[in-house]
Amino acid sequence: MAINKASVAVVFMVSGVLMVFFGTVLTFVGPIIIDDQVVKNTVIDPKNEVSYRMWKDVPVPFYMSVYFFNVLNPQEILKGEKPMVEQRGPFVYRKQIQKENITFHSNGTVSYLEFRRFFFEPDMSSGNESEVVTIPNMLVLGAAIMMENLPFAVRLMISATFKTFKEGPFLTKTVGELMWGYDSGLVDFLNKYLPGMLPSTGKFGLFADFNNSNTGLFTIHTGQDDIRKVHMVDSWNGLTKLSNWNSPQCNMINGTAGQMWPPFMSRESTLPFYSPDACRSLELVYQRDGVMEGIPLYRYVAPKTMFANGSDYAPNEGFCPCRQSGLLNVSSCRHNSPVFISHPHFFNADPVLLDFVHGLKPTEDEHGLFIDIHPLTGVPLNVSIRLQLNLYMKRVSAITETGKISEVVMPMIWFEESGYIDGPILSTFYTNLVVLPAVMEYMQYGFIVLGVVIILIAALVHHRVKVKPHIACRMAHASYYRPHIACRMAHASYYRPHIAGRMAHAS
C-alpha cells in the first residue's frame, strides 16, 4: 500500500510541475497571442469581415449638435456697442458616414472617398429647424473685410450692390436656411459675374457644402506591412503636404483620418490626425485613464497650444497672420474670408476675447473636446469634437453696412460631433478584448498557484510514505531487545546487595 501511495504522490508531483510550467509559458505566450489577434483584426483587410465593416461603414451612431449665438442687440452693435449673444440649441443631426470607391494598392495602402449625410433629429433637439435666429451676415461683413484695401470708389460700389440686393449686416433666418442654404439674389449675382468668389454655386448656407459631400480622396496605410502605420494618411487628394500655410511643419499632413489609430498605445502616445475641415493636422495629448462599461481607456484632449498664436507658441507661427491665442485663422483655405476657428465659448483662449462679447461662459466639461481610446486596439470608444466658427468684423469706410462696428471676433455657431460605441458592438468588444484576456491572465496564474499547491501536497505525502517504514523497523528492533534489557535489569537488581556487602568488607 505504501508503494501505491508513493506512486500516486510522484504522479501528482509531475502533474504539479507540468501545471507550473504551463502557467509560466502562458504568461509569456498569452500576451503574444492577444497581440497577434489584435494585429490580425486591426489590419484593413476585407477578409476581416467584422473589423473591415466597422471601418467601411462606421456602424456607430454619430451626431452633430449645432448651437447658434443669437445676436440680441444688432442695432447697438452698429453703433459701436459690445455684442450681446445668447446660445440657442442644440439642433441635432444624425451623421451617416460611408466609404465608397475603395481601392487597394500594391504598396500597402487603400484609397477611398468618405461621404457624409445629415438627418435632423427633432426628438434630440431643443427646437425645430423652423426656429428663427439672428447672426452676422458673412456675405456683407466678411466681404467688407476682404475689400477694405480696394479703392474708395470700388468700396462705394460694393456697398451700393449690397443695398440693391437688400443685404444688411445681420441675418434673421430659420435654422434650416442658415444651415443648408437660402436663396439670395446677391449670391446669384456673384456666381454669375464673379465665379469662384464664393465656396458654393447654389444656395448659401453655413453647412451647405457638408451635406451629401465627401471629405476628399484619402489614401491611408492598411497596416499589412507595418501595423504601426495602420490608418496613417499617406496622401490626401494626391497631396503629401499642404500649401495653405507659411512653414513646412504647418503644411505637413500628419496622423490618421481621425477615426481610428494604430494599436498598442501608451500614455506617451499622441493622437495626430488630419482634418480637411480645419485645413490642417491636429494633435491631441493624453490626459488621464478611464473606464467605459468595464473597458479601460485613455482620454485624449486638445493641448492649450493647439490654437495658440505664434507669439505664445513658436511652432504655430506658420499658421499666422494670427490674432489672440485660441483662434485659428482659416481664411487661407476659405476663399480669404475672415473666418476663425476656436473652441466653443473661447475655451482655452486668451481671456481678452471674452471681454469683447457678452454671453459667453466657457467650461471644460461643456466646451472642451476629447477622444476616449482603447489603448490596446486604437479604437475610439467615445468621441466629442467641439469647434466654434467665428467671424472677424469691424467698420470699413465707404461700406456703410458696417456702421461703427467695433473690431471684434464674433462667435456665430459652435458644433459638437459626438459618438460612442454601444449595443452589440460594445458587447463584442468587451468580450474579446476585456473578458478573454482577463480569463487568460487568471488561468496562467491559476495554473501556477494550483501547480505549486499540488507539488507541496505530493511532496508531503511522499515524505510521509518514505518515513513510515523506518519508524516501523525501529519499533520492531525495540520489541526484540526489550526482554534482554529486562533480564539485564533483573540481574543488576540481584547482584546489587552482594556488591554492597563486598564494598562494606573492603571498608
Side-chain angles (χ1 to χ4, degrees):
M1 195 70 181
I3 296 174
N4 290 337
K5 286 186 177 181
S7 300
V8 171
V10 170
V11 170
F12 270 86
M13 187 173 294
V14 171
S15 300
V17 170
L18 289 176
M19 292 182 76
V20 171
F21 175 76
F22 184 70
T24 304
V25 170
L26 206 58
T27 59
F28 294 100
V29 176
I32 296 175
I33 294 173
I34 293 172
D35 289 354
D36 182 66
Q37 287 300 308
V38 168
V39 170
K40 180 181 176 181
N41 289 288
T42 303
V43 170
I44 302 173
D45 187 347
K47 295 177 183 177
N48 300 334
E49 292 185 10
V50 176
S51 57
Y52 179 73
R53 190 165 61 249
M54 279 188 64
W55 170 79
K56 179 178 178 292
D57 298 328
V58 190
V60 176
F62 264 85
Y63 296 94
M64 181 175 71
S65 302
V66 181
Y67 300 81
F68 284 84
F69 289 103
N70 184 49
V71 179
L72 299 177
N73 60 338
Q75 295 305 315
E76 287 76 11
I77 293 173
L78 291 174
K79 296 175 183 178
E81 295 185 20
K82 185 184 297 187
M84 295 180 62
V85 298
E86 65 171 358
Q87 179 176 291
R88 301 276 286 276
F91 301 94
V92 182
Y93 298 84
R94 178 169 51 86
K95 183 180 180 181
Q96 185 184 79
I97 306 170
Q98 188 167 9
K99 294 178 177 66
E100 299 181 8
N101 298 351
I102 298 173
T103 306
F104 285 86
H105 307 291
S106 59
N107 64 346
T109 62
V110 58
S111 299
Y112 63 90
L113 290 171
E114 184 172 273
F115 287 85
R116 51 193 176 183
R117 299 171 180 86
F118 296 92
F119 304 90
F120 185 62
E121 295 285 347
D123 293 339
M124 301 175 68
S125 304
S126 64
N128 56 49
E129 288 189 298
S130 61
E131 192 168 324
V132 175
V133 294
T134 299
I135 63 171
N137 189 343
M138 288 183 66
L139 287 174
V140 173
L141 298 179
I145 299 294
M146 295 166 65
M147 307 294 180
E148 68 173 330
N149 294 321
L150 294 180
F152 187 84
V154 175
R155 280 180 273 143
L156 279 175
M157 187 173 63
I158 291 170
S159 182
T161 303
F162 290 151
K163 291 179 175 63
T164 300
F165 291 100
K166 298 180 180 179
E167 293 282 355
F170 292 93
L171 279 174
T172 300
K173 299 281 186 183
T174 66
V175 168
E177 289 175 319
L178 293 173
M179 285 289 295
W180 311 117
Y182 55 91
D183 293 317
S184 168
L186 177 61
V187 171
D188 296 336
F189 174 81
L190 292 174
N191 284 330
K192 183 176 182 179
Y193 295 103
L194 296 171
M197 181 177 178
L198 296 177
S200 61
T201 55
K203 295 182 177 182
F204 184 81
L206 297 174
F207 286 83
D209 289 341
F210 280 61
N211 206 9
N212 297 311
S213 66
N214 65 75
T215 55
L217 182 66
F218 274 97
T219 301
I220 65 174
H221 291 274
T222 63
Q224 290 279 9
D225 300 328
D226 186 351
I227 197 62
R228 294 172 299 179
K229 290 184 177 181
V230 67
H231 302 297
M232 303 297 280
V233 177
D234 181 63
S235 66
W236 176 74
N237 282 342
L239 302 173
T240 57
K241 61 181 180 180
L242 305 173
S243 57
N244 303 321
W245 311 109
N246 303 318
S247 73
Q249 181 177 350
C250 293
N251 278 320
M252 293 174 68
I253 297 178
N254 295 326
T256 72
Q259 292 177 349
M260 293 184 183
W261 280 264
F264 313 124
M265 300 178 67
S266 69
R267 293 173 181 82
E268 288 70 40
S269 303
T270 59
L271 289 191
F273 62 97
Y274 173 68
S275 170
D277 296 327
C279 309
R280 59 166 285 192
S281 297
L282 301 169
E283 188 172 50
L284 306 187
V285 296
Y286 170 85
Q287 184 192 50
R288 61 174 175 83
D289 284 24
V291 177
M292 175 180 163
E293 301 294 336
I295 302 174
L297 59 84
Y298 290 166
R299 171 158 290 191
Y300 285 82
V301 298
K304 288 187 176 181
T305 56
M306 177 176 283
F307 296 142
N309 61 26
S311 300
D312 292 342
Y313 186 61
N316 283 356
E317 186 66 39
F319 295 122
C320 293
C322 300
R323 299 192 63 80
Q324 294 90 345
S325 278
L327 299 172
L328 174 66
N329 186 348
V330 293
S331 59
S332 61
C333 65
R334 289 290 181 268
H335 298 267
N336 292 319
S337 58
V339 175
F340 291 80
I341 290 176
S342 70
H343 296 299
H345 287 244
F346 296 132
F347 172 70
N348 264 354
D350 190 327
V352 73
L353 292 168
L354 299 174
D355 296 335
F356 294 113
V357 182
H358 280 302
L360 304 180
K361 296 177 181 178
T363 65
E364 181 175 3
D365 288 342
E366 294 183 11
H367 307 124
L369 64 83
F370 67 85
I371 298 179
D372 290 338
I373 290 280
H374 182 244
L376 181 63
T377 60
V379 174
L381 301 175
N382 188 18
V383 176
S384 180
I385 303 297
R386 299 160 174 161
L387 293 172
Q388 180 171 297
L389 188 66
N390 309 280
L391 180 67
Y392 172 60
M393 58 188 202
K394 67 176 184 177
R395 175 182 177 275
V396 176
S397 62
I399 301 180
T400 57
E401 284 72 17
T402 62
K404 297 179 180 179
I405 294 177
S406 299
E407 188 174 356
V408 63
V409 177
M410 184 73 174
M412 297 178 64
I413 64 168
W414 73 270
F415 59 92
E416 173 187 24
E417 290 199 3
S418 59
Y420 59 91
I421 293 179
D422 64 353
I425 297 175
L426 183 65
S427 299
T428 302
F429 205 88
Y430 179 76
T431 301
N432 293 339
L433 295 169
V434 177
V435 175
L436 292 182
V439 169
M440 187 171 290
E441 184 176 358
Y442 291 139
M443 281 178 59
Q444 65 195 28
Y445 294 119
F447 276 124
I448 293 173
V449 171
L450 187 59
V452 170
V453 171
I454 290 174
I455 290 171
L456 292 174
I457 293 174
L460 183 61
V461 171
H462 189 267
H463 176 72
R464 286 183 176 178
V465 169
K466 295 275 285 183
V467 168
K468 194 172 290 183
H470 294 284
I471 297 172
C473 182
R474 289 178 181 177
M475 288 177 68
H477 278 286
S479 300
Y480 174 78
Y481 283 108
R482 193 173 293 127
H484 299 279
I485 295 169
C487 182
R488 287 179 181 178
M489 289 177 69
H491 278 286
S493 300
Y494 173 78
Y495 285 107
R496 191 173 291 128
H498 298 280
I499 294 169
R502 287 180 182 180
M503 287 178 70
H505 281 289
S507 298

